[in-house]
Structures are given as structure tokens and as C-alpha cells.
Amino acid sequence: MNMKKADMVWSLVWFYVGFYLNLVQHPVSSQFPHECINNASSTRICCPDNCGGYQRGRCKPLIPGTHNEYSVKNRDQQYLQRLDDRFNWPHCFFSYGCICNANYGGYNCLDCAFGYGGSTGTNCSLKREMVRKNIKTMPDGERRLFFEALKDSKQTQSSFVALASVGCKPGQKKLPDLVNLTIYDFFSWQHYFASRDSVIENYQCAETSLPTGCDINNYAHNGSGFGDWHRLHLLMFERELQKMTNNSQLTLPFWDWRDQPKCDVCSDSYFGQNNSQGYIEQSEWFSNWTVVCWHLEQYYNIRGVCNVSQSIENGDIMLIRRPESEADIYLPSSNDVKRALDQTSGKGLELLNIRVHSYMGHNSTMAKIVSSANDPLFVAHHCFMDLLYELWITQHGFTTIKSFPERGELPGHNRNETITGFFPPKLHRDFYKPSYKLGYVYQGITTKPGVNDDSTLKWWHWLLIVTGFAIFLPAIEEC
């Protein structure tokens, strides 16, 4: 075989390998970056930095956000989207975004995907595995670095902007009002945004501000997507802290609350000791910690959204925590956790979550879903919920995406739907997997791939490989 023909064969081989790798990888990225705001009104395109160049990513049409029985009629979709800009997320705002190749990630594909190392200008070829540790047993120095990062995140501007008014109004020619937030306030607002009630079926009653009797949807809770939504929420926040501190080894710790007679991290050595009114006054890191987006009347108004800029300007609502103040509510026991993990439905885990939130006291910041993420204790608690989610996934062998409901759940909770509130869109199926595939593990537990794990090559993977060898091997031997 001559050199020209050999070069052609090898080019085809590498094209085939690249084609296969693109099929088995999933893009990973984030939510409304500053760079995209000026272009949104006219082009509805968010592809900054040319998506990192041809090797790293491409600017492509974004996938539909909702794929279930609630999207039967196009006019119904449009009507629902006008009432709720989260429906069919994120098409109210953008139609094009960066789809990253292979191990690249970020809204501009200049980051690495979760689970891979490197930064701008690297090829993201290094596998990473961070260890999230128990906040009670982690080294003092690491714990202090985490608390200092939390404190700084409350004062450092985020790379993303938040909505200050409702979007998807009829004839809308530009994005609604947007506001800059600090990293931690954006983290809190993002939970608020996805958790706010939304009408899904009897949406005529959305014309009223309190939809009593309507079918209500919550994009981050009360469905199969609960674990994945909070998993991605924590991953994004963890990455923001790593960038802010220039410390790629910084990880979020977890609070193991099982069998605790009281909140053993509600002290000045950890998340702060509250006074008789519930305020945190003496903490080195969390004294005078303010709360954004706490108004219940805005929260329950389907057609409204928290005006986060006004919420910050008011600044008179402080973090409140009153653990042990509810006589009949206790932190879950090991037996409670075991019963929840034994259920084939994830609803048991959600009930544990509700119980821990409620334990923090009536009218406390963490007890209300509208404001819960404002309490920094939310981070360590939900890291432990993610640990339990990890155990639940592997205990039941639910490590193939086929075990995640494809339909039948509320909008935003089905397998192939987008995880509401993150941009560019990410699918639930891409985070319903053992955590080591996303680049982190938990101290003290081992979750091994099961026999049905999606790391096992599927039949069509083998077919592609065998077909490739059948096509190219004879030509290569001639070379």
C-alpha cells in the first residue's frame, strides 16, 4: 500500500475513534454567564469564546427541556412557558449553547468536565477523584479553609447573573431584569428559583397568586430528580469555591447527623451557635449572615419571582437557626436511614431531608424551602444527603440510566429532561451514576460498579468496535 493510501486509512481510523468517543461522552457545563447577556435579546445564542475552539466544543441548538405527557400540545407548552420561564428550560432565554466534546466542560468549554483535571489551555486528560470528608473528623486546617471559603463566597461576585423578574412575557424581545450576586447568594437563589411552586396541569388557576387546588410542581423536590438536582447544585458550588480560592483540592464536607441527640455542628467551632432569638452572633465566619429571597408571598406567586436586588438592599433579614426547638422532631437515626435506603423509591430519602430541615426550628432559615440554602449548614447536610443517594443508587443496582423513569414523573424530573436552573442544560441521566464517575468519592464508603453499571459496554458499543476492526484491519495490514 502506498503512503497516500496509508495516510487516508489512518485518518479514517482516527475519525472513527473520535466518532465513537463522542457517542459515549456527555457534555458538562453551567448557568447564565455574564458574557452571554448582551447577545441574548437579538440572537438567543450563548456561545462565548467560540466554545473553546473546534477541538473543545461546538455552538449547537440546545435540546428541548421537557419530554413528557405534559407537553402534548405546542400551544400548551407556549402558554405554560409564558406563565413559568422554567418550563422547557432554558428555551425561554436561549436556543443555542456550547456543547462540549469529550472531557471538556463549562459554559464556554474552557473548563474540564466533572471527573477530569486541568484548566484553561489543557486537554483535560487527567482523571480526578476528590474525597469529600466528614466535617467532624477532617483535619482542622482543611475545615478552616472550607469555612473561610464559605465566608469569602458571601462577598465575592459570581460569574453568573440571576433573574430579578419573570421572563417569557408575550412578545419578549430581551432578557428580563438581571442582577449580579455573590457566589453564595447565587447558590441560595438557584435553589429558590428551581424550588418555587409551578402549576403543571390545571394551569388556568395560575392566574391567581395562591393556587389552592391546583396541581403543583417543584423542579428540585418531590420527584425522581431530587437527588440529581442537588448533586449538580453541590458540584457547581464546589467548583466555584475551587476557582475562587485557586485550590482545586478544596472539597465540600458532609455532616453525618445520624443518631445525634442534638445538632453537634451548631457551635462556634463549626456553623455557629444561635442565641435565644435564633441569631448567629459570635461565629468567626457566620455572624451577621444575611438571607436573600425569603418572602413567602413572592415564593407562592406563580407569576412572580424574588426581586433579589431589593432583597439584598433591604438586608435586614438575618440567618435564624433554632435546633431542638421542635418538641416532636428529632434528627434521623441509623435505623431511619436504613429503612429509607431499603425502599426502591427515593421518597424515603426526601422524607429524611425534610426532617432534618424541620429540626432546625419553626420559622428558621433552613426550615423554609424558600430560604433554606441561605444557611451554610445546608451545604454539609446536603453533602450527606448526596452520600445517602450514592448508597441508595448502588445498593439497588440502579446504576444504569434505564432504572431512572423516562416518563410519568412531573416536568423536570424525568430521565431525559434538563435539570432546571443550570445553563447550558444538563440531563438527569448524566448525574444518575456512581459519584466516582463525576470525580469525587466519600470518605469511609466504597461504591463499586454493579453488574448492570452503565460503565459496562453496551451491545451497540461492541458492535461499533467490531465493525471498525472489520473495516479497517485488512487495510492496516496492507500498510
Side-chain angles (χ1 to χ4, degrees), residues 80 95 99 138 181 223 228 272 277-278 288 290 333 336 354 363 372 426 431:
L80 278 170
S95 300
I99 305 300
M138 69 193 300
L181 295 177
D228 296 313
Q277 287 79 41
N288 303 317
T290 54
S333 67
D336 294 328
I354 293 170
N363 286 332
S372 61
K426 302 160 185 65
F431 294 86

Side-chain angles (χ1 to χ4, degrees), residues 147-261:
F147 285 140
E148 288 177 347
L150 281 183
K151 182 179 179 180
D152 290 345
S153 73
K154 190 73 171 171
Q155 303 163 359
T156 305
Q157 182 171 302
S158 171
S159 304
F160 308 113
V161 293
L163 295 167
S165 62
V166 177
C168 282
K169 295 175 182 176
Q172 175 175 287
K173 300 256 185 212
K174 63 178 182 178
L175 283 176
D177 296 331
L178 299 163
V179 62
N180 293 317
L181 295 177
T182 67
I183 292 172
Y184 196 91
D185 286 344
F186 181 81
F187 173 76
S188 302
W189 172 87
Q190 206 164 25
H191 185 263
Y192 162 89
F193 179 74
S195 302
R196 195 168 49 90
D197 285 351
S198 173
V199 171
I200 55 169
E201 272 195 311
N202 300 326
Y203 42 79
Q204 287 80 1
C205 59
E207 301 298 332
T208 65
S209 56
L210 290 175
T212 305
C214 297
D215 293 315
I216 302 299
N217 179 35
N218 181 320
Y219 289 92
H221 306 83
N222 307 327
S224 293
F226 167 76
D228 296 313
W229 195 96
H230 288 84
R231 172 165 281 192
L232 177 56
H233 193 215
L234 292 172
L235 276 167
M236 291 303 305
F237 182 58
E238 189 170 54
R239 174 162 287 186
E240 285 298 290
L241 292 186
Q242 291 169 350
K243 289 181 178 180
M244 180 193 73
T245 59
N246 195 29
N247 180 4
S248 62
Q249 300 305 310
L250 188 148
T251 57
L252 304 179
F254 62 89
W255 171 39
D256 184 351
W257 33 250
R258 290 175 300 177
D259 304 316
Q260 295 297 328

Side-chain angles (χ1 to χ4, degrees), residues 77-142:
Q77 273 199 41
Q78 294 173 352
Y79 181 60
L80 278 170
Q81 195 165 286
R82 285 201 301 271
L83 290 178
D84 187 343
D85 48 28
R86 300 165 301 174
F87 189 82
N88 198 27
W89 178 265
H91 286 264
C92 172
F93 306 105
F94 292 101
S95 300
Y96 285 76
C98 290
I99 305 300
C100 305
N101 298 328
N103 303 333
Y104 302 114
Y107 61 81
N108 54 8
C109 300
L110 292 179
D111 286 330
C112 296
F114 295 123
Y116 291 90
S119 57
T120 303
T122 70
N123 60 10
C124 298
S125 59
L126 286 175
K127 285 285 288 182
R128 292 189 66 205
E129 189 172 276
M130 303 179 297
V131 180
R132 290 182 179 172
K133 300 176 181 178
N134 188 324
I135 196 164
K136 295 286 289 184
T137 60
M138 69 193 300
D140 292 343
E142 291 182 24

Side-chain angles (χ1 to χ4, degrees), residues 367-439:
K368 302 174 187 175
I369 194 173
V370 60
S371 60
S372 61
N374 282 278
D375 190 333
L377 184 53
F378 176 98
V379 177
H381 159 60
H382 271 281
C383 268
F384 190 60
M385 290 304 305
D386 186 67
L387 183 155
L388 296 181
Y389 183 57
E390 175 80 358
L391 291 174
W392 180 77
I393 287 176
T394 53
Q395 177 174 316
H396 293 281
F398 292 161
T399 49
T400 167
I401 60 171
K402 290 183 179 179
S403 59
F404 196 104
E406 185 175 15
R407 59 181 63 249
E409 289 283 326
L410 298 176
H413 284 274
N414 293 280
R415 181 201 310 170
N416 296 318
E417 292 184 323
T418 53
I419 302 178
T420 302
F422 299 91
F423 184 87
K426 302 160 185 65
L427 302 178
H428 282 286
R429 71 186 187 199
D430 293 333
F431 294 86
Y432 186 69
K433 61 180 66 173
S435 65
Y436 73 89
K437 294 188 176 183
L438 297 169

